[in-house]
Amino acid sequence: MTATKVTGGQVVSMEYTLRVDGKVVDTSEGAEPLQYLHGAANIVPGLEREIEGMALGESKTVIVEPLEGYGEMDEEAFVDVPRSEFPDDMPLKPGVEMQLTTPEGEPMYARIESVEAQSVHLNLNHPLAGAELHFDVKVVALRDATEEELDHGHVHGEHSH
Ligand code: ZN
């Protein structure tokens, strides 16, 4: 029998809205609820801890500090890249976001912090680093994870992988 309170090893479906400084930055409204495997670090630690023990149908507002969210702003995570390394058609101005590839081939997020005469100053921090996260969450479905999901550490939809 599936439990009616959130605990490790369950697939949780939740409706959520994330606000930072009063502005909505992410929401499931108008889309499918988010499904994740509880206890597998699929979501930020501060939110996962607060959802633990919530009942099916329960709503909650959770405030997550940066350290338990997307981390503090790392002052070391900035690099200068020569202007010549950017495509000619790319707008070079503060706030422009891009995806880079690390030498290992992993995708990496970056945002232009400032543009100098010869170089572009890039911020490699997560866009929500340093932010206090305000989540409104509602648990709308619960089920036990399958062996395979537990093994993989994430939820499988219709398209297993
Ligand atoms: Zn998988």
Side-chain angles (χ1 to χ4, degrees):
M1 199 187 99
T2 300
T4 54
K5 282 183 190 283
V6 176
T7 186
Q10 285 190 299
V11 172
V12 179
S13 297
M14 67 170 182
E15 294 174 351
Y16 73 97
T17 295
L18 167 59
R19 290 185 183 80
V20 171
D21 295 331
K23 279 197 297 196
V24 174
V25 296
D26 196 11
T27 181
S28 63
E29 220 179 286
E32 292 292 304
L34 173 73
Q35 278 203 334
Y36 77 94
L37 176 59
H38 192 79
N42 290 175
I43 60 175
V44 296
L47 180 60
E48 185 162 57
R49 197 186 55 228
E50 290 295 318
I51 291 176
E52 173 80 28
M54 278 179 75
L56 182 58
E58 189 180 344
S59 302
K60 197 173 190 180
T61 296
V62 177
I63 297 174
V64 178
E65 298 301 327
L67 266 181
E68 294 201 302
Y70 292 99
E72 298 284 1
M73 186 73 80
D74 179 1
E75 298 302 330
E76 305 287 300
F78 288 84
V79 290
D80 285 303
V81 178
R83 267 174 177 260
S84 57
E85 294 198 13
F86 292 88
D88 287 342
D89 58 353
M90 182 172 214
L92 297 180
K93 57 182 185 198
V96 170
E97 299 180 355
M98 67 196 75
Q99 197 165 312
L100 306 178
T101 307
T102 65
E104 293 78 36
E106 297 287 322
M108 183 175 66
Y109 166 89
R111 177 179 48 200
I112 296 179
E113 191 71 16
S114 60
V115 180
E116 317 295 336
Q118 298 299 325
S119 67
V120 177
H121 195 50
L122 292 180
N123 181 352
L124 306 179
N125 283 286
H126 186 281
L128 293 175
E132 187 182 78
L133 313 171
H134 290 239
F135 288 98
D136 287 309
V137 297
K138 182 180 184 184
V139 177
V140 295
L142 280 177
R143 68 168 169 85
D144 293 329
T146 64
E147 287 297 323
E148 194 183 44
E149 285 173 326
L150 290 172
D151 196 40
H152 287 201
H154 57 228
V155 173
H156 287 170
E158 307 95 90
H159 313 287
S160 281
H161 48 101

